[in-house]
């Protein structure tokens, strides 16, 4: 899915996959930080966003 | 080609007469030149209408879904691979099928041929890899090789992979150096270029769903685009909805698509819908070393788990 989204022009850094156990709080924090940082770097997304009205 | 038509007719008439099958799924001549039409023959007389030529582009596996009768089916390479898919996915049983395999040397692209003429084509015939095309004002002799459908030029399974009887001797398989050159070209674009490329690609889409209807993989009783509760995707012409449809339809075909080209053939707006599925064909080939529809005894790539499966995308 990630590959196809990237293929049609969704930036690679917008979509992240991770597997975190409920006991892995530190990993969760680490991944959440990485995700927000890389998405912030890309700026707001306008792709595949439907504008109503 | 005429000999193939004769052979198919003889085989099918025999099967129906002997009561080996209840019906034959094949092609008959279309109502306009350079076209064919899928047909069902239930009597030996009807079997005399069957034909085979370079316009038999649609995928007949599409007409076997959930059928319980004994069916004789005329199948070229890609059809046979979709029949294997159907067997794997329990949409039809092997015992109920009598497969008449037709080694295929490619189907012609009507659009490429039509583009050569200013007026409508009135006559189309072929002989030994030559095509003879006539309109009211012109007459041309063309090399079939130059007018193959795109997916036929990259096809490496021209001979049926599963059959009970072959209608002709197997043809030589193509050796293609870079089967995915078209996909790689898109992969090398920037995100913006990719986005614009696909926007441009689907800008003419009228959401008629002909691509879905022609596809043997799309057999869900209710397609996600037709669901209203929940409504997964808007029904209008909003570009994001159109794109969501194409994206998800393609993804539903991941690891199943045989690149038969029926979707493109059916598209009334000449959209290169395979641009979406091609990427998935390439990925399943490269990531899972999987080509769908080759072996009815193997489970599909996305249906199995192996500890060695690549998982580089998970952080």
């Amino acid at each position: 899915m990630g590959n196809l989204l990237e293929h049609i022009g969704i930036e690679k850094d917008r979509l992240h996959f991770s597997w975190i156990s409920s006991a892995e709080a530190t990993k969760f924090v680490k991944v959440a930080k990485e995700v927000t940082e890389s998405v912030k770097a890309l700026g707001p997304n306008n792709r595949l966003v439907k504008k109503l009205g | 080609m005429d000999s193939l038509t004769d052979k198919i007719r003889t085989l099918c008439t025999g099967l129906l007469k002997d009561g080996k099958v209840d019906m034959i799924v094949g092609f008959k001549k279309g109502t306009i030149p350079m076209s064919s039409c899928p047909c069902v023959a239930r009597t030996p007389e009807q079997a005399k209408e069957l034909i085979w030529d370079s316009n038999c582009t649609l995928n007949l596996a599409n007409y076997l879904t959930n059928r319980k009768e004994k069916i004789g089916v005329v199948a070229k390479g890609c059809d046979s691979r979709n029949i294997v898919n159907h067997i794997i996915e329990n949409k039809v049983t092997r015992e109920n099928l009598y497969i008449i395999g037709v080694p295929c040397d490619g189907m012609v692209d009507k659009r490429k041929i039509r583009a050569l003429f200013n007026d409508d084509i009135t006559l189309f015939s072929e002989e030994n890899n030559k095509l003879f095309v006539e309109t009211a004002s012109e007459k041309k002799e063309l090399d079939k090789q130059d007018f193959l459908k795109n997916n036929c030029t990259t096809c490496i399974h021209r001979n049926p992979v599963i059959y009970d009887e072959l209608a002709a001797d197997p043809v030589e398989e193509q050796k293609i150096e870079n089967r995915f050159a078209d996909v790689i070209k898109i992969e090398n674009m920037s995100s913006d270029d990719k986005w614009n490329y696909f926007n441009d690609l689907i800008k003419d889409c009228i959401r008629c769903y002909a691509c879905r209807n022609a596809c043997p993989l799309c057999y869900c009783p209710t397609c996600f685009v037709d669901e209203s509760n929940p409504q997964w995707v808007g029904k209008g012409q909003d570009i994001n909805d159109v794109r969501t449809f194409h994206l998800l339809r393609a993804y539903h075909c991941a690891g199943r698509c045989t690149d038969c080209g029926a979707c493109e053939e059916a598209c009334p707006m000449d959209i290169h819908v395979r641009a979406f599925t091609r990427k998935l064909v390439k990925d399943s080939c490269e990531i899972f070393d999987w080509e769908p529809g080759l072996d009815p005894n193997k489970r599909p790539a996305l249906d199995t788990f192996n500890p060695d499966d690549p998982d580089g995308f998970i952080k």
Side-chain angles (χ1 to χ4, degrees):
Chain A
M1 187 87 216
N3 282 358
L4 186 63
L5 277 173
E6 192 196 336
H7 193 64
I8 65 156
I10 302 290
E11 299 91 336
K12 194 177 178 6
D13 286 346
R14 278 199 199 280
L15 187 66
H16 298 254
F17 294 88
S18 188
W19 195 92
I20 309 168
S21 152
S22 58
E24 296 178 304
T26 41
K27 185 176 176 190
F28 179 76
V29 172
K30 183 172 159 274
V31 171
K33 266 191 184 152
E34 280 171 12
V35 171
T36 42
E37 271 164 22
S38 58
V39 174
K40 262 185 192 157
L42 285 167
N45 175 42
N46 297 313
R47 295 178 181 167
L48 280 180
V49 179
K50 192 169 167 182
K51 301 209 170 46
L52 296 173
Chain B
M1 281 292 168
D2 286 343
S3 65
L4 259 176
T5 296
D6 289 341
K7 180 85 196 210
I8 289 171
R9 282 181 190 168
T10 323
L11 284 173
C12 295
T13 317
L15 286 172
L16 285 166
K17 265 191 188 149
D18 299 345
K20 280 193 185 158
V21 297
D22 302 324
M23 60 193 244
I24 298 277
V25 178
F27 285 101
K28 67 178 180 185
K29 217 163 179 40
T31 48
I32 53 169
M34 205 162 67
S35 71
S36 71
C37 167
C39 78
V40 169
R42 292 178 191 272
T43 62
E45 283 67 47
Q46 289 172 336
K48 286 179 189 136
E49 279 186 38
L50 294 168
I51 56 141
W52 192 266
D53 64 12
S54 295
N55 299 308
C56 296
T57 31
L58 287 174
N59 195 322
L60 294 180
N62 199 19
Y63 302 91
L64 305 177
T65 316
N66 293 336
R67 285 276 175 186
K68 302 284 180 257
E69 305 98 319
K70 278 281 232 184
I71 304 177
V73 55
V74 185
K76 52 189 181 294
C78 43
D79 298 35
S80 76
R81 289 177 64 198
N82 278 103
I83 293 173
V84 170
N85 264 340
H86 260 38
I87 296 171
I88 291 176
E89 295 171 3
N90 298 324
K91 287 289 123 189
V92 72
T93 59
R94 179 70 183 91
E95 299 71 47
N96 277 352
L97 293 177
Y98 191 94
I99 304 167
I100 299 154
V102 184
C104 165
D105 49 11
M107 293 290 148
V108 298
D109 188 330
K110 304 180 176 90
R111 283 148 193 147
K112 283 186 199 159
I113 296 178
R114 277 191 199 128
L116 298 177
F117 299 93
N118 293 320
D119 42 359
D120 286 346
I121 288 160
T122 51
L123 209 72
F124 172 92
S125 61
E126 56 186 302
E127 212 180 314
N128 301 332
N129 273 321
K130 290 273 178 206
L131 311 172
F132 306 95
V133 191
E134 279 180 43
T135 70
S137 61
E138 274 181 285
K139 207 170 174 177
K140 277 188 183 158
E141 186 185 321
L142 310 166
D143 270 326
K144 180 174 164 182
Q145 281 307 316
D146 301 338
F147 293 91
L148 287 185
K149 280 179 40 175
N150 268 333
N151 60 314
C152 296
T153 57
T154 55
C155 171
I156 53 166
H157 300 284
R158 292 180 146 188
N159 293 305
V161 294
I162 181 175
Y163 55 82
D164 293 291
E165 198 156 4
L166 278 183
D169 294 329
V171 291
E172 199 183 330
E173 294 290 0
Q174 302 189 99
K175 298 215 168 29
I176 296 154
E177 222 160 84
N178 194 353
R179 272 171 70 204
F180 296 110
D182 53 331
V183 189
I184 294 168
K185 205 174 125 200
I186 303 175
E187 280 173 355
N188 290 335
M189 292 180 185
S190 69
S191 282
D192 290 345
D193 287 349
K194 284 177 184 167
W195 185 255
N196 293 333
Y197 173 84
F198 281 98
N199 263 0
D200 191 50
L201 192 84
I202 55 170
K203 69 176 190 308
D204 292 329
C205 179
I206 53 172
R207 299 281 292 277
C208 67
Y209 304 139
C211 47
R212 174 198 70 183
N213 293 353
C215 178
L217 304 174
C218 285
Y219 53 65
C220 291
T222 309
C223 176
F224 74 99
V225 294
D226 296 327
E227 291 260 12
S228 55
N229 189 20
Q231 187 178 330
W232 304 106
V233 54
K235 303 199 184 270
Q237 289 298 108
D238 187 289
I239 185 74
N240 292 302
D241 290 331
V242 178
R243 196 181 259 262
T244 305
F245 160 60
H246 284 286
L247 176 68
L248 285 181
R249 194 193 86 76
Y251 200 67
H252 289 172
C253 303
R256 303 163 72 219
C257 177
T258 59
D259 209 16
C260 71
C263 45
E264 269 182 22
E265 185 59 25
C267 180
M269 305 305 286
D270 297 353
I271 295 169
H272 174 41
V273 264
R274 281 173 46 251
F276 290 89
T277 46
R278 285 282 287 165
K279 167 71 176 164
L280 294 161
V281 174
K282 177 173 180 275
D283 276 359
S284 61
C285 202
E286 288 177 354
I287 302 175
F288 298 104
D289 193 19
W290 169 255
E291 280 202 86
L294 297 184
D295 185 349
N297 299 316
K298 273 194 192 154
R299 295 307 304 175
L302 295 187
D303 189 53
T304 46
F305 171 73
N306 189 332
D308 301 330
D309 281 344
D311 56 0
F313 64 98
I314 294 183
K315 284 188 197 125

